Amino acid sequence: MVGIAFTVMCLIFGTTFLAIKIGVEAGMPPFLSAGLRFVIAGALMFAWMRMKGKVNISLLWRKEMLITGAGLTFGTFATLYWAEQYVSSGVGAILSATGPLMIMLMQTALLRQKTSARMITGCLIGFAGVVLVVLPGVSIGGSPLWLWGCIAVLVGEVCYSAGAIYSKKVINQFKEANPIAINAVQMMYGGLLLSLLSVGTESWSMSALDWVPAVSSVIYLTVIGSMVGHSLFYWIMSRTNPLFPATWLYISPPIAVGLGAVVYDEHVSWITWIGVALVVSGLLAMNEKVSDWLKKRSRARMTVQASESVLK
Protein backbone atom coordinates (compact mmCIF):
# COMPACT_ATOMS: atom_id res chain seq x y z
CA MET A 1 0.00 0.00 0.00
CA VAL A 2 2.87 2.38 0.75
CA GLY A 3 4.36 1.70 -2.68
CA ILE A 4 1.02 2.33 -4.41
CA ALA A 5 0.41 5.51 -2.41
CA PHE A 6 3.91 6.80 -3.18
CA THR A 7 3.47 6.14 -6.90
CA VAL A 8 0.13 7.96 -6.95
CA MET A 9 1.57 10.89 -4.97
CA CYS A 10 4.50 11.30 -7.37
CA LEU A 11 2.17 11.23 -10.37
CA ILE A 12 -0.11 13.83 -8.74
CA PHE A 13 2.69 16.23 -7.82
CA GLY A 14 4.28 15.74 -11.24
CA THR A 15 1.04 16.72 -13.01
CA THR A 16 0.24 19.84 -10.96
CA PHE A 17 2.68 22.00 -12.94
CA LEU A 18 0.88 21.19 -16.20
CA ALA A 19 -2.50 21.78 -14.54
CA ILE A 20 -1.32 25.24 -13.44
CA LYS A 21 -0.17 26.00 -16.99
CA ILE A 22 -3.51 24.91 -18.46
CA GLY A 23 -5.48 27.12 -16.07
CA VAL A 24 -3.30 30.17 -16.63
CA GLU A 25 -3.40 29.83 -20.43
CA ALA A 26 -7.19 29.41 -20.28
CA GLY A 27 -7.36 33.01 -19.07
CA MET A 28 -7.60 32.36 -15.34
CA PRO A 29 -5.81 35.17 -13.44
CA PRO A 30 -2.83 33.41 -11.85
CA PHE A 31 -3.12 34.89 -8.35
CA LEU A 32 -6.90 34.33 -8.27
CA SER A 33 -6.47 30.75 -9.45
CA ALA A 34 -3.87 30.02 -6.76
CA GLY A 35 -5.91 31.80 -4.08
CA LEU A 36 -9.08 29.83 -4.81
CA ARG A 37 -7.16 26.58 -4.84
CA PHE A 38 -5.63 26.97 -1.40
CA VAL A 39 -8.52 28.70 0.37
CA ILE A 40 -10.96 25.98 -0.71
CA ALA A 41 -8.56 23.07 -0.07
CA GLY A 42 -7.47 24.40 3.32
CA ALA A 43 -11.04 25.17 4.43
CA LEU A 44 -12.35 21.72 3.42
CA MET A 45 -9.48 19.92 5.13
CA PHE A 46 -9.85 22.02 8.29
CA ALA A 47 -13.62 21.47 8.38
CA TRP A 48 -13.16 17.71 7.97
CA MET A 49 -10.63 17.55 10.80
CA ARG A 50 -12.86 19.74 12.96
CA MET A 51 -15.74 17.30 12.43
CA LYS A 52 -13.43 14.48 13.49
CA GLY A 53 -12.45 16.42 16.62
CA LYS A 54 -8.78 16.45 15.62
CA VAL A 55 -8.21 20.22 15.62
CA ASN A 56 -8.89 23.12 17.95
CA ILE A 57 -10.50 26.24 16.45
CA SER A 58 -7.93 28.41 18.28
CA LEU A 59 -5.32 27.26 15.75
CA LEU A 60 -6.91 29.65 13.25
CA TRP A 61 -5.89 32.71 15.26
CA ARG A 62 -2.20 31.96 15.70
CA LYS A 63 0.20 34.37 14.01
CA GLU A 64 2.59 31.46 13.39
CA MET A 65 0.07 30.02 10.91
CA LEU A 66 0.00 33.33 9.01
CA ILE A 67 3.79 33.50 8.80
CA THR A 68 4.01 29.88 7.64
CA GLY A 69 1.33 30.45 5.02
CA ALA A 70 3.10 33.58 3.79
CA GLY A 71 6.24 31.56 3.07
CA LEU A 72 5.09 28.07 2.13
CA THR A 73 1.98 28.97 0.13
CA PHE A 74 1.85 32.67 -0.75
CA GLY A 75 5.49 33.29 -1.65
CA THR A 76 5.97 29.95 -3.37
CA PHE A 77 2.84 29.85 -5.50
CA ALA A 78 2.42 33.55 -6.28
CA THR A 79 5.73 33.40 -8.13
CA LEU A 80 5.11 29.98 -9.70
CA TYR A 81 1.64 30.81 -11.03
CA TRP A 82 2.86 34.17 -12.40
CA ALA A 83 5.92 32.54 -13.97
CA GLU A 84 3.94 29.85 -15.77
CA GLN A 85 2.46 32.56 -18.00
CA TYR A 86 5.91 32.76 -19.61
CA VAL A 87 7.78 29.49 -18.95
CA SER A 88 6.82 25.91 -19.70
CA SER A 89 5.41 23.66 -16.99
CA GLY A 90 8.50 21.45 -17.28
CA VAL A 91 10.90 24.32 -16.62
CA GLY A 92 8.72 25.40 -13.69
CA ALA A 93 8.91 21.88 -12.20
CA ILE A 94 12.68 21.61 -12.62
CA LEU A 95 13.38 24.99 -11.04
CA SER A 96 10.89 24.24 -8.24
CA ALA A 97 12.89 21.12 -7.40
CA THR A 98 15.73 23.37 -6.21
CA GLY A 99 13.90 23.87 -2.89
CA PRO A 100 16.16 21.47 -0.95
CA LEU A 101 19.20 23.25 -2.38
CA MET A 102 17.84 26.58 -1.09
CA ILE A 103 17.15 25.03 2.32
CA MET A 104 20.73 23.80 2.55
CA LEU A 105 22.10 27.23 1.64
CA MET A 106 19.89 28.93 4.23
CA GLN A 107 20.77 26.46 6.94
CA THR A 108 24.46 26.99 6.21
CA ALA A 109 24.38 30.78 5.90
CA LEU A 110 21.77 31.72 8.51
CA LEU A 111 21.72 28.84 11.00
CA ARG A 112 25.47 28.18 10.78
CA GLN A 113 24.99 24.48 10.26
CA LYS A 114 28.02 22.54 9.06
CA THR A 115 28.01 21.52 5.42
CA SER A 116 29.77 18.38 4.22
CA ALA A 117 31.82 18.15 1.05
CA ARG A 118 29.18 15.81 -0.34
CA MET A 119 26.44 18.40 0.11
CA ILE A 120 28.57 21.12 -1.48
CA THR A 121 29.23 18.83 -4.45
CA GLY A 122 25.51 18.10 -4.77
CA CYS A 123 24.77 21.81 -4.60
CA LEU A 124 27.20 22.55 -7.44
CA ILE A 125 25.79 19.72 -9.56
CA GLY A 126 22.25 20.98 -8.99
CA PHE A 127 23.26 24.54 -9.84
CA ALA A 128 24.85 23.32 -13.08
CA GLY A 129 21.55 21.62 -13.89
CA VAL A 130 19.63 24.87 -13.31
CA VAL A 131 22.03 26.69 -15.65
CA LEU A 132 21.45 24.11 -18.37
CA VAL A 133 17.68 24.36 -17.96
CA VAL A 134 17.76 28.14 -18.32
CA LEU A 135 20.48 28.21 -20.99
CA PRO A 136 18.39 27.25 -24.08
CA GLY A 137 15.97 30.14 -23.59
CA VAL A 138 18.80 32.61 -23.11
CA SER A 139 20.90 31.32 -26.01
CA ILE A 140 18.06 31.54 -28.54
CA GLY A 141 17.19 35.06 -27.48
CA GLY A 142 14.14 34.24 -25.39
CA SER A 143 11.95 37.11 -24.24
CA PRO A 144 12.93 38.96 -21.05
CA LEU A 145 9.68 37.76 -19.48
CA TRP A 146 10.83 34.15 -19.96
CA LEU A 147 14.00 34.88 -18.02
CA TRP A 148 12.06 36.82 -15.37
CA GLY A 149 9.73 33.83 -15.09
CA CYS A 150 12.68 31.55 -14.32
CA ILE A 151 13.98 34.02 -11.74
CA ALA A 152 10.52 34.28 -10.18
CA VAL A 153 10.33 30.49 -9.65
CA LEU A 154 13.73 30.54 -7.94
CA VAL A 155 12.64 33.45 -5.73
CA GLY A 156 9.55 31.43 -4.85
CA GLU A 157 11.78 28.55 -3.77
CA VAL A 158 13.64 30.93 -1.46
CA CYS A 159 10.26 31.74 0.12
CA TYR A 160 9.44 28.04 0.30
CA SER A 161 12.75 27.26 1.98
CA ALA A 162 12.31 30.00 4.56
CA GLY A 163 8.77 28.78 5.21
CA ALA A 164 9.91 25.15 5.49
CA ILE A 165 12.61 26.00 8.02
CA TYR A 166 10.17 28.11 10.02
CA SER A 167 7.45 25.45 9.83
CA LYS A 168 9.74 22.95 11.57
CA LYS A 169 9.85 25.34 14.51
CA VAL A 170 6.05 25.74 14.38
CA ILE A 171 5.42 21.97 14.34
CA ASN A 172 7.68 21.57 17.38
CA GLN A 173 5.90 24.46 19.10
CA PHE A 174 2.42 23.00 18.45
CA LYS A 175 3.16 19.35 19.17
CA GLU A 176 -0.41 18.74 20.26
CA ALA A 177 -1.76 19.88 16.87
CA ASN A 178 -2.14 17.48 13.95
CA PRO A 179 0.40 18.35 11.17
CA ILE A 180 -2.39 18.05 8.57
CA ALA A 181 -4.42 20.65 10.50
CA ILE A 182 -1.41 22.98 10.59
CA ASN A 183 -1.00 22.50 6.83
CA ALA A 184 -4.71 23.24 6.26
CA VAL A 185 -4.58 26.50 8.24
CA GLN A 186 -1.40 27.74 6.59
CA MET A 187 -2.94 26.97 3.17
CA MET A 188 -5.98 29.06 4.07
CA TYR A 189 -3.83 31.99 5.12
CA GLY A 190 -1.64 31.69 2.03
CA GLY A 191 -4.74 31.45 -0.17
CA LEU A 192 -6.24 34.57 1.43
CA LEU A 193 -3.02 36.51 0.80
CA LEU A 194 -3.04 35.33 -2.83
CA SER A 195 -6.66 36.42 -3.20
CA LEU A 196 -5.87 39.87 -1.77
CA LEU A 197 -2.96 40.17 -4.21
CA SER A 198 -5.33 39.26 -7.03
CA VAL A 199 -7.84 41.93 -5.98
CA GLY A 200 -5.14 44.58 -5.99
CA THR A 201 -3.28 43.62 -9.18
CA GLU A 202 -5.46 41.60 -11.56
CA SER A 203 -8.42 42.37 -13.76
CA TRP A 204 -11.03 39.63 -13.96
CA SER A 205 -12.44 39.35 -17.47
CA MET A 206 -15.05 36.62 -17.52
CA SER A 207 -15.59 36.99 -21.26
CA ALA A 208 -11.94 36.14 -21.99
CA LEU A 209 -12.09 32.99 -19.88
CA ASP A 210 -12.09 29.54 -21.45
CA TRP A 211 -14.33 28.08 -18.78
CA VAL A 212 -13.86 24.32 -19.15
CA PRO A 213 -10.05 24.14 -18.84
CA ALA A 214 -9.95 27.03 -16.34
CA VAL A 215 -12.47 25.51 -13.92
CA SER A 216 -11.11 21.99 -14.47
CA SER A 217 -7.63 23.23 -13.55
CA VAL A 218 -8.82 24.81 -10.28
CA ILE A 219 -10.86 21.73 -9.31
CA TYR A 220 -8.02 19.33 -10.12
CA LEU A 221 -5.43 21.36 -8.22
CA THR A 222 -7.74 21.85 -5.25
CA VAL A 223 -9.01 18.29 -4.85
CA ILE A 224 -6.26 16.15 -6.35
CA GLY A 225 -3.19 18.36 -6.02
CA SER A 226 -3.75 19.89 -2.58
CA MET A 227 -6.16 17.61 -0.70
CA VAL A 228 -5.31 14.13 -2.03
CA GLY A 229 -1.63 14.77 -2.77
CA HIS A 230 -0.80 16.32 0.60
CA SER A 231 -2.90 13.78 2.51
CA LEU A 232 -0.99 10.95 0.82
CA PHE A 233 2.27 12.69 1.73
CA TYR A 234 1.40 12.76 5.45
CA TRP A 235 -0.03 9.22 5.35
CA ILE A 236 3.19 7.85 3.82
CA MET A 237 5.25 9.79 6.35
CA SER A 238 3.24 8.26 9.21
CA ARG A 239 3.89 4.75 7.82
CA THR A 240 7.60 5.22 7.00
CA ASN A 241 9.61 8.29 8.03
CA PRO A 242 9.88 12.00 7.11
CA LEU A 243 12.59 11.32 4.52
CA PHE A 244 11.02 8.81 2.16
CA PRO A 245 7.95 10.77 0.94
CA ALA A 246 10.16 13.81 0.26
CA THR A 247 11.90 11.88 -2.53
CA TRP A 248 9.02 12.89 -4.82
CA LEU A 249 11.17 15.94 -5.55
CA TYR A 250 13.54 13.66 -7.46
CA ILE A 251 10.77 12.13 -9.55
CA SER A 252 8.42 15.01 -10.37
CA PRO A 253 10.69 16.99 -12.79
CA PRO A 254 10.98 14.17 -15.39
CA ILE A 255 7.22 13.52 -15.08
CA ALA A 256 6.40 17.21 -15.55
CA VAL A 257 8.79 17.65 -18.47
CA GLY A 258 7.50 14.51 -20.19
CA LEU A 259 3.85 15.46 -19.71
CA GLY A 260 4.47 18.98 -20.97
CA ALA A 261 6.12 17.61 -24.10
CA VAL A 262 3.52 14.92 -24.83
CA VAL A 263 0.25 16.55 -23.70
CA TYR A 264 0.96 20.25 -24.22
CA ASP A 265 3.54 20.05 -27.01
CA GLU A 266 6.15 21.95 -24.99
CA HIS A 267 9.57 22.01 -26.63
CA VAL A 268 12.22 20.09 -24.69
CA SER A 269 15.83 20.20 -25.87
CA TRP A 270 18.47 17.61 -25.07
CA ILE A 271 20.23 20.25 -22.96
CA THR A 272 17.09 20.53 -20.82
CA TRP A 273 17.06 16.77 -20.24
CA ILE A 274 20.70 16.90 -19.14
CA GLY A 275 19.71 19.72 -16.79
CA VAL A 276 16.91 17.55 -15.36
CA ALA A 277 19.37 14.72 -14.72
CA LEU A 278 21.86 17.05 -13.03
CA VAL A 279 19.23 18.69 -10.79
CA VAL A 280 17.90 15.30 -9.67
CA SER A 281 21.44 13.92 -9.18
CA GLY A 282 22.49 16.99 -7.23
CA LEU A 283 19.47 16.80 -4.93
CA LEU A 284 20.01 13.10 -4.29
CA ALA A 285 23.71 13.66 -3.56
CA MET A 286 22.90 16.50 -1.16
CA ASN A 287 20.36 14.52 0.83
CA GLU A 288 22.72 12.09 2.54
CA LYS A 289 20.05 10.69 4.85
CA VAL A 290 17.71 9.83 1.99
CA SER A 291 20.54 8.26 0.01
CA ASP A 292 21.62 6.17 3.00
CA TRP A 293 18.01 5.19 3.72
CA LEU A 294 17.44 4.09 0.12
CA LYS A 295 20.65 2.05 0.20
CA LYS A 296 19.58 0.33 3.42
CA ARG A 297 16.15 -0.41 1.91
CA SER A 298 17.84 -1.86 -1.19
CA ARG A 299 20.14 -4.07 0.92
CA ALA A 300 17.22 -5.21 3.06
CA ARG A 301 15.19 -6.08 -0.05
CA MET A 302 18.11 -8.08 -1.47
CA THR A 303 18.47 -9.93 1.84
CA VAL A 304 14.77 -10.82 1.85
CA GLN A 305 14.94 -12.02 -1.75
CA ALA A 306 18.00 -14.11 -0.98
CA SER A 307 16.25 -15.67 2.02
CA GLU A 308 13.20 -16.47 -0.07
CA SER A 309 15.39 -18.11 -2.69
CA VAL A 310 17.03 -20.29 -0.03
CA LEU A 311 13.65 -21.32 1.35
CA LYS A 312 12.44 -22.27 -2.10
Side-chain angles (χ1 to χ4, degrees):
M1 290 302 297
V2 170
I4 294 172
F6 180 75
T7 301
V8 174
M9 181 189 71
C10 290
L11 289 172
I12 288 173
F13 286 155
T15 60
T16 53
F17 297 93
L18 181 60
I20 291 171
K21 184 75 172 179
I22 290 173
V24 169
E25 295 214 338
M28 194 73 178
F31 301 142
L32 175 63
S33 178
L36 288 174
R37 167 189 176 181
F38 288 106
V39 168
I40 296 171
L44 289 175
M45 290 173 66
F46 186 85
W48 178 76
M49 297 206 70
R50 180 65 179 165
M51 289 172 59
K52 296 287 185 179
K54 295 182 178 181
V55 61
N56 195 312
I57 199 73
S58 63
L59 196 66
L60 289 171
W61 319 122
R62 303 294 306 204
K63 67 179 185 300
E64 292 85 356
M65 302 298 112
L66 172 61
I67 297 172
T68 305
L72 283 179
T73 298
F74 174 74
T76 305
F77 289 95
T79 51
L80 177 62
Y81 271 73
W82 179 85
E84 287 215 27
Q85 297 175 102
Y86 312 109
V87 304
S88 68
S89 60
V91 168
I94 299 164
L95 297 179
S96 294
T98 58
L101 185 152
M102 304 288 187
I103 291 175
M104 187 208 73
L105 293 176
M106 283 190 175
Q107 288 178 335
T108 302
L110 302 179
L111 303 181
R112 303 299 180 186
Q113 293 187 6
K114 290 184 178 181
T115 304
S116 66
R118 175 176 175 173
M119 292 190 74
I120 294 174
T121 302
C123 181
L124 293 175
I125 293 172
F127 178 76
V130 171
V131 171
L132 288 181
V133 170
V134 176
L135 186 62
V138 176
S139 62
I140 63 175
S143 71
L145 286 174
W146 186 91
L147 183 58
W148 279 113
C150 293
I151 294 172
V153 177
L154 294 175
V155 170
E157 289 310 300
V158 173
C159 296
Y160 167 81
S161 303
I165 293 172
Y166 181 75
S167 68
K168 292 181 182 180
K169 175 184 175 182
V170 172
I171 290 174
N172 291 331
Q173 181 179 345
F174 297 92
K175 291 182 179 179
E176 73 285 353
N178 191 302
I180 297 179
I182 292 176
N183 182 54
V185 177
Q186 73 86 12
M187 281 200 298
M188 281 193 287
Y189 272 117
L192 287 172
L193 291 173
L194 286 162
S195 300
L196 290 174
L197 180 61
S198 176
V199 171
T201 62
E202 293 177 332
S203 59
W204 304 345
S205 176
M206 297 296 104
S207 60
L209 197 64
D210 192 349
W211 283 93
V212 173
V215 174
S216 299
S217 170
V218 173
I219 293 175
Y220 180 84
L221 290 166
T222 300
V223 178
I224 306 299
S226 295
M227 298 177 68
V228 177
H230 284 87
S231 295
L232 284 173
F233 181 91
Y234 283 106
W235 184 86
I236 294 168
M237 185 167 60
S238 69
R239 295 299 189 279
T240 56
N241 58 64
L243 299 173
F244 177 64
T247 56
W248 75 268
L249 283 166
Y250 313 140
I251 302 171
S252 64
I255 293 175
V257 172
L259 276 175
V262 174
V263 178
Y264 218 60
D265 198 27
E266 293 178 347
H267 174 70
V268 182
S269 69
W270 63 270
I271 296 178
T272 301
W273 281 114
I274 294 176
V276 171
L278 287 176
V279 169
V280 173
S281 300
L283 290 173
L284 191 57
M286 283 169 50
N287 202 330
E288 299 177 22
K289 292 182 179 180
V290 170
S291 298
D292 293 340
W293 187 82
L294 290 174
K295 288 177 182 177
K296 289 178 182 178
R297 290 285 296 177
S298 178
R299 286 197 294 267
R301 190 179 298 110
M302 291 175 65
T303 301
V304 171
Q305 290 175 348
S307 300
E308 291 176 346
S309 298
V310 171
L311 290 173
K312 289 179 180 179

